[in-house]
Amino acid sequence: MVWTKRLGYGFNGNQSPTMLLVPRSAKGKRSVRKKSRDNHTNAIDMLATIAADLLLESEKSFTAQVIGGPSNPTSNGTLKKEHLFEVKPIKEEAFDQGSCSESVSGSNGGCALKEHGKLNSDVRSKNPTQTELMTKCSSGDCGYPFERHSPCYAECWEGNLAGGIRALNQCEPLANRSPASGKVLETCILGELMQLDSKPSALVSSDSSVKAPSGEDHIPHNTSFPTGWWEEKQLHLDRDDDDDDENCSRCTHGSTITSKVFRSHDKQTDRIKKLLMSKFRKDSPFSTNGDFPNSVVDKKLLFSSRKIGYTRKRTQRYPFKRRKCFERGLMSTYDEAANFEYMSNLPEINMKVENFDMDASLHEANIKSAHITGQRSIHESEDFHVKLRIKSFKVPELFVEIPKSATVGSLKRMVMEAVTAILRGGIHVGVLLQGKKIRDDNKTLLQAGISHGDKLDKLGFILEPDNVTLSPPLLTNHEEPSPLLPCNATEPLTRSPSATPLADPSTIIALPEFPNPSAVNSPESDHNSFHFPMDVPLQDDHQDETSSDSRALVPVLAMNMNALSIVPIQKPKRPEHSQRRIRRPFSVSEVEALVQAVEKLGTGRWRDVKIRAFDNANHRTYVDLKDKWKTLVHTAKITPQQRRGEPVPQELLDRVLAAHAYWSQQQARLPTKPPPAEDCMLN
DNA sequence: ATTAGGG
DNA sequence: CCCTAAT
């Protein structure tokens, strides 16, 4: 699968870059992209390339760190393409972008980012657990736990956006938030949907004339979330996102297009809204306090949330699309650490937890006696059961950058798009125990230490974006929809024979609609293969690691929003098509046909060659034929020992050489005028 | 859409 | 095979 990260850079007004994008026009673009695609990209290389080749010629001192990536990083320290980087200049002063007030008056959301960044930086530097975070933030201006509120963040947003996002950051004393703060979630989600601006977005039209600051670049994204079931629900108004070479032109010309998209999106939104609202009304575990949600409801809830994301997946342009027109855009990033703010607004899951309390000594002694806690007894089986209360899942952090002139509705859309972008990339669950990520899926809870009551308090779950692609076996056929797993997804989770106790459906309930893992393996898949949460052993690393491990998908340490940062976007471009085509080596007979056609037609008429010799071979494009010819010529020139694959008869290779020579000569002879169609070296 | 080349 | 610039 082709991996891509959308990198980009933007400016806060006329100030320093805050985000790094790799513009299409950048000199080093290619190498960056290449490197990015390489399986084992060295972070320093990446950094150096970016720093040297791209935007900041004068700033060549950068540091890079991994801020996220596969949960099973290679143990050799190299980085995989899925890893997320943050790159920032060593000299941070150079990127000072001014104070909050400046931003408010003259720029855009930079203030929020900055302040937010500061705050996060503060807490992140300790690689804190949630508890620590809350403590930390409680001492801030706000006085409320950071869990759900970042005063600076909210403040700035209010300043910049006239309160547009205030609802998302409502400050609420912890005590007032009943069970697991579910209420806030409800408010936010509902609020989002209900208030979605139904206007075609003045923002777009007004800004569409704004000249894009720079090109942008895509790298095909490797991530392919299983597509299928939701697609039928989509409104096919969206253009293919792949041919993204267009500048603002598309947006500019296409104000109608844009409007359409938005309108339809609004319809869609309405539907979702209704759906969600009914769901909430009926099922919401958050409607009353003291009433803990049960797992079933939770599943439904999450399901709904995710559904939103998927459903909207195609109807919504990826933020960056419009970004070019806005001259600003939305950056989303994954910062699984310390993002409680956002977390509180997303598929947060709150589960009532039964009591549980395991006696460590019993475990260690491996005694197989049932242990009764509270009212419920443990199974008489060999294992004790651990009951967990998942107060919340962390979800990736988002950063939004949007013009002051933007409407609140558009802001909401952007946020939603960002959410969608992340969700559609797929997520899995990470488990943290006392801040340490448990990476070995094969460990038993006992081995991992998830058994003692005291430790369970420090058990954390985290929703992590999948940085890997689901292999396309069932997608090669582009038409076969992925099975939609039922939301009462207990079964998919237990399918794996290697499932650990964690996969017990009674404890893990938050992963409703992952595809059947058995369906995502393909011969083509490699280490990038999708790992179904919890039941596939990690290959490279069986050691627990602290979250500060650079290979872990974890907190951004001391993240400074002024810093130049590369923010990968979870934007799998047209997932249904972006898969690298399966490799299909040419058979000898195909080579024969190709050679014959080229002998006849020459080397500059691949379309004709295609029609002539491969008209019925749908998978062979004229580009393929051209490429094959290229390799054939090369093959013919090297020694047989150097050749690989199915050997091509020397006779054919000789003909290749002869034809190549002949047509090269023809081409040299008539550079501008190709030989007549009837011409043929064999004539 | 095709062609031509680099990756 | 992919990605693109250039036609």
Side-chain angles (χ1 to χ4, degrees), chain A residues 82 193-194 201 231 292 311 329 483 556 563:
Chain A
E82 295 87 2
L193 294 172
M194 294 175 67
S201 178
E231 287 192 341
F292 285 100
T311 306
V556 180

Side-chain angles (χ1 to χ4, degrees), chain A residues 404-617:
Chain A
K404 283 190 293 184
S405 58
T407 63
V408 172
S410 64
L411 169 63
K412 291 175 180 176
R413 278 193 293 267
M414 291 188 102
V415 173
M416 187 52 112
E417 286 176 34
V419 172
T420 301
I422 288 184
L423 289 182
R424 65 182 281 192
I427 54 175
H428 62 269
V429 171
V431 178
L432 297 147
L433 183 58
Q434 298 186 81
K436 285 178 71 176
K437 195 162 198 165
I438 299 177
R439 310 189 144 276
D440 186 352
D441 288 353
N442 286 328
K443 258 185 191 169
T444 66
L445 296 191
L446 176 60
Q447 291 169 330
I450 309 178
S451 55
H452 303 20
D454 57 324
K455 281 193 179 179
L456 286 170
D457 290 340
K458 299 173 182 173
L459 185 62
F461 293 85
I462 182 171
L463 293 182
E464 300 172 311
D466 277 329
N467 294 294
V468 295
T469 292
L470 297 177
S471 295
L474 36 86
L475 298 177
T476 9
N477 180 346
H478 301 305
E479 292 170 348
E480 182 175 350
S482 300
L484 170 57
L485 299 189
C487 58
N488 54 350
T490 53
E491 166 261 339
L493 286 169
T494 54
R495 186 163 294 170
S496 167
S498 64
T500 67
L502 255 187
D504 181 328
S506 69
T507 58
I508 302 301
I509 61 169
L511 294 168
E513 47 199 349
F514 277 102
N516 180 348
S518 65
V520 294
N521 289 322
S522 85
E524 291 277 305
S525 58
D526 52 10
H527 59 280
N528 288 327
S529 297
F530 176 70
H531 285 245
F532 195 66
M534 313 255 188
D535 59 9
V536 177
L538 299 181
Q539 305 167 350
D540 302 315
D541 189 347
H542 285 255
Q543 298 300 314
D544 292 355
E545 295 173 42
T546 65
S547 318
S548 59
D549 186 299
S550 64
R551 291 170 293 165
L553 187 58
V554 273
V556 180
L557 300 183
M559 185 179 188
N560 182 329
M561 292 316 293
N562 289 339
L564 191 58
S565 58
I566 298 180
V567 185
I569 303 309
Q570 194 84 18
K571 169 53 168 76
K573 253 186 321 180
R574 54 168 195 174
E576 59 275 79
H577 292 309
S578 65
Q579 287 296 153
R580 186 189 234 272
R581 287 191 302 156
I582 187 172
R583 187 169 171 276
R584 305 174 83 163
F586 276 70
S587 65
V588 172
S589 59
E590 281 182 304
V591 171
E592 159 83 49
L594 176 60
V595 169
Q596 193 166 39
V598 173
E599 285 173 343
K600 190 81 178 172
L601 301 172
T603 53
R605 301 162 59 192
W606 299 110
R607 178 174 170 276
D608 292 335
V609 170
K610 154 77 176 169
I611 294 171
R612 180 189 183 91
F614 293 84
D615 205 19
N616 53 358

Side-chain angles (χ1 to χ4, degrees), chain A residues 114-312:
Chain A
K114 178 176 180 176
E115 293 304 317
H116 192 190
K118 272 185 180 176
L119 188 63
N120 282 342
S121 160
D122 190 13
V123 291
R124 284 174 189 169
S125 60
K126 292 193 160 175
N127 194 14
T129 64
Q130 178 169 346
T131 306
E132 287 169 339
L133 267 177
M134 292 177 66
T135 306
K136 189 104 190 169
C137 294
S138 297
S139 62
D141 326 348
C142 169
Y144 297 131
F146 179 72
E147 177 198 14
R148 163 166 320 285
H149 176 66
S150 159
C152 292
Y153 195 62
E155 232 173 74
C156 290
W157 275 117
E158 288 177 20
N160 278 330
L161 299 165
I165 207 171
R166 197 180 314 160
L168 299 180
N169 292 310
Q170 255 174 34
C171 198
E172 195 179 356
L174 186 59
N176 291 352
R177 295 201 305 270
S178 60
S181 340
K183 203 166 181 179
V184 175
L185 172 62
E186 177 184 286
T187 302
C188 290
I189 292 185
L190 282 180
E192 276 291 303
L193 294 172
M194 294 175 67
Q195 294 170 37
L196 269 176
D197 194 339
S198 62
K199 284 175 289 188
S201 178
L203 178 59
V204 171
S205 49
S206 65
D207 278 317
S208 58
S209 58
V210 174
K211 186 179 177 183
S214 68
E216 69 162 4
D217 194 78
H218 292 148
I219 306 173
H221 201 301
N222 217 353
T223 300
S224 90
F225 199 84
T227 59
W229 65 267
W230 45 265
E231 287 192 341
E232 55 184 305
K233 302 177 183 174
Q234 295 170 8
L235 304 174
H236 302 282
L237 296 168
D238 214 26
R239 295 188 41 162
D240 186 333
D241 199 28
D242 197 16
D243 51 342
D244 204 353
D245 288 342
E246 90 290 10
N247 298 324
C248 225
S249 57
R250 179 192 292 180
C251 299
T252 314
H253 307 158
S255 55
T256 51
I257 292 179
T258 309
S259 298
K260 265 189 190 171
V261 168
F262 280 174
R263 261 193 291 275
S264 51
H265 149 241
D266 287 333
K267 289 181 192 170
Q268 194 76 352
T269 299
D270 285 338
R271 286 191 353 220
I272 298 167
K273 188 202 307 181
K274 287 176 187 171
L275 183 154
L276 231 202
M277 290 193 57
S278 61
K279 243 194 189 352
F280 267 96
R281 288 207 188 95
K282 291 175 184 171
D283 300 333
S284 175
F286 306 134
S287 52
T288 57
N289 52 5
D291 188 40
F292 285 100
N294 61 45
S295 58
V296 173
V297 172
D298 278 333
K299 274 182 279 190
K300 284 183 184 172
L301 185 60
L302 181 62
F303 180 73
S304 299
S305 300
R306 287 177 59 88
K307 201 158 166 187
I308 291 174
Y310 295 137
T311 306
R312 301 174 62 146

Side-chain angles (χ1 to χ4, degrees), chain A residues 371-404:
Chain A
H371 184 77
I372 306 224
T373 71
Q375 65 279 46
R376 189 106 185 110
S377 72
I378 314 255
H379 278 272
E380 60 286 349
S381 66
E382 66 277 63
D383 256 325
F384 297 112
H385 285 194
V386 179
K387 293 188 178 181
L388 305 172
R389 166 168 42 197
I390 300 176
K391 288 183 177 175
S392 66
F393 277 76
K394 294 192 224 175
V395 302
E397 181 169 17
L398 295 178
F399 293 117
V400 176
E401 201 176 323
I402 188 171
K404 283 190 293 184

